[in-house]
Amino acid sequence: MDIEQQQAEHIDYFLKKASILQGSALSSLIVEATSHPSLFAFSEILAAPNVIELEGTENSAFLDVLRMFAYGTWSEYKITASRLPQLKPDQVLKLKQLTVLTLAETNKVLPYDTLMQELDVANVRQLEDFLINDCMYVGIVRGKLDQLRRCFEVQFAAGRDLRPGQLGGMIQTLSNWLSTSENLLVSIQEKIKWGDAMSEIDKKHAKEVEERAEEVKKTLSLRADIDFRGHEEIFSEHGGVMDFEEDRSRPKRRRHPIG
């Protein structure tokens, strides 16, 4: 079963429980959901009517905790920890896992120093153990640990819940991408048309050259034939040959000395 299908089943389970609980019982459900080892999406639970009704009540701090797990990071929690319920160890682990996902949204090469600071990890060994055992083995990220460069190269990271207002930015980004793609497609089509036109011109030119070459061949062949016939007529004239032969066979006259 892939991680998305697991998420859907876990979310459905907690939504059904949230629909029949109220008050402090919902607070316990929030702790259970944010401690679950295989649940990493919380916006749907956050939008449940009974959960929304915690706002302004004595249990509203648990609603803030749920928001933190939907959108926040470990560093953000530490800033507001005095106003929130203390997290259990499983919740701390979960929020640190979610922090890695948030960092991977904007950078596919995560320096060890940044990760250790954001996760409150003391050394590289602890960091690599956390990334391997609590992130990659769980399936929320895939990547390569580069000890030489002291960084984590992210190849895949599961998506987190969209923060309020983030959807508009994503739509704008996708719109810009679509516009760029359309312009690129038009440019490619124009280049294809230009290429086709140049190909036709080249074909036409090649045909003209071929036709001219054939004409030259015919002209040269005709001239050669004419010249050959002319020479043949010269050497085959009967009179000219006989005169030459007769001249050679005619006895020469003796010359008498002039006395």
Side-chain angles (χ1 to χ4, degrees):
M1 184 183 299
D2 59 28
I3 189 171
E4 292 183 358
Q5 187 175 351
Q6 288 180 348
Q7 294 295 296
E9 291 183 359
H10 297 321
I11 291 170
D12 185 61
Y13 166 78
F14 284 107
L15 285 176
K16 288 178 179 178
K17 292 191 69 173
S19 67
I20 59 175
L21 298 176
Q22 291 181 338
S24 60
L26 274 176
S27 301
S28 299
L29 181 66
I30 289 174
V31 173
E32 181 185 355
T34 53
S35 302
H36 195 286
S38 300
L39 182 62
F40 297 92
F42 303 93
S43 60
E44 292 181 68
I45 301 173
L46 193 59
N50 287 5
V51 174
I52 294 174
E53 290 178 0
L54 291 176
E55 189 74 64
T57 68
E58 60 183 4
N59 296 302
S60 62
F62 288 93
L63 182 60
D64 293 333
V65 168
L66 187 58
R67 291 194 183 105
M68 183 65 66
F69 277 79
Y71 316 122
T73 64
W74 174 244
S75 296
E76 292 171 349
Y77 168 77
K78 290 191 299 180
I79 295 172
T80 59
S82 60
R83 304 194 304 270
L84 298 174
Q86 185 176 359
L87 299 183
K88 296 181 177 182
D90 288 342
Q91 289 177 298
V92 173
L93 174 62
K94 173 60 58 66
L95 193 53
K96 289 184 177 182
Q97 290 171 319
L98 294 169
T99 298
V100 173
L101 297 183
T102 296
L103 294 173
E105 287 179 357
T106 56
N107 196 344
K108 298 306 178 185
V109 178
L110 304 177
Y112 279 2
D113 292 339
T114 300
L115 288 168
M116 287 190 290
Q117 181 180 353
E118 291 292 327
L119 301 173
D120 276 342
V121 177
N123 54 59
V124 172
R125 177 62 182 274
Q126 291 182 6
L127 174 63
E128 291 183 339
D129 287 345
F130 170 76
L131 292 172
I132 293 172
N133 299 324
D134 298 316
C135 295
M136 287 193 278
Y137 281 174
V138 174
I140 58 174
V141 295
R142 290 194 299 269
K144 176 184 177 182
L145 300 175
D146 191 332
Q147 294 179 334
L148 183 63
R149 296 171 56 203
R150 289 175 56 87
C151 66
F152 177 50
E153 297 179 2
V154 181
Q155 298 170 347
F156 161 81
R160 290 196 64 180
D161 296 302
L162 294 178
R163 303 174 187 85
Q166 189 178 10
L167 181 59
M170 291 184 66
I171 292 175
Q172 184 61 48
T173 299
L174 290 173
S175 297
N176 293 339
W177 176 83
L178 179 60
S179 178
T180 301
S181 299
E182 290 175 344
N183 292 336
L184 180 61
L185 180 60
V186 170
S187 177
I188 292 173
Q189 290 174 338
E190 289 177 350
K191 289 183 178 180
I192 290 174
K193 291 180 180 179
W194 178 83
D196 290 342
M198 293 302 296
S199 177
E200 289 299 321
I201 292 174
D202 289 342
K203 289 179 181 179
K204 183 178 179 181
H205 178 67
K207 185 177 180 181
E208 291 175 351
V209 170
E210 186 178 351
E211 290 175 350
R212 290 177 61 184
E214 288 297 324
E215 290 177 0
V216 170
K217 287 180 181 179
K218 290 178 180 179
T219 301
L220 293 176
S221 177
L222 181 60
R223 288 180 179 178
D225 186 56
I226 293 173
D227 291 343
F228 177 77
R229 290 181 179 179
H231 285 90
E232 188 178 49
E233 290 175 358
I234 291 172
F235 286 104
S236 63
E237 287 181 356
H238 178 73
V241 174
M242 288 302 295
D243 289 345
F244 176 73
E245 292 295 334
E246 289 175 358
D247 184 68
R248 291 181 59 187
S249 61
R250 182 180 302 164
K252 295 183 178 180
R253 294 181 181 179
R254 291 183 179 180
R255 292 184 179 181
H256 297 281
I258 300 175

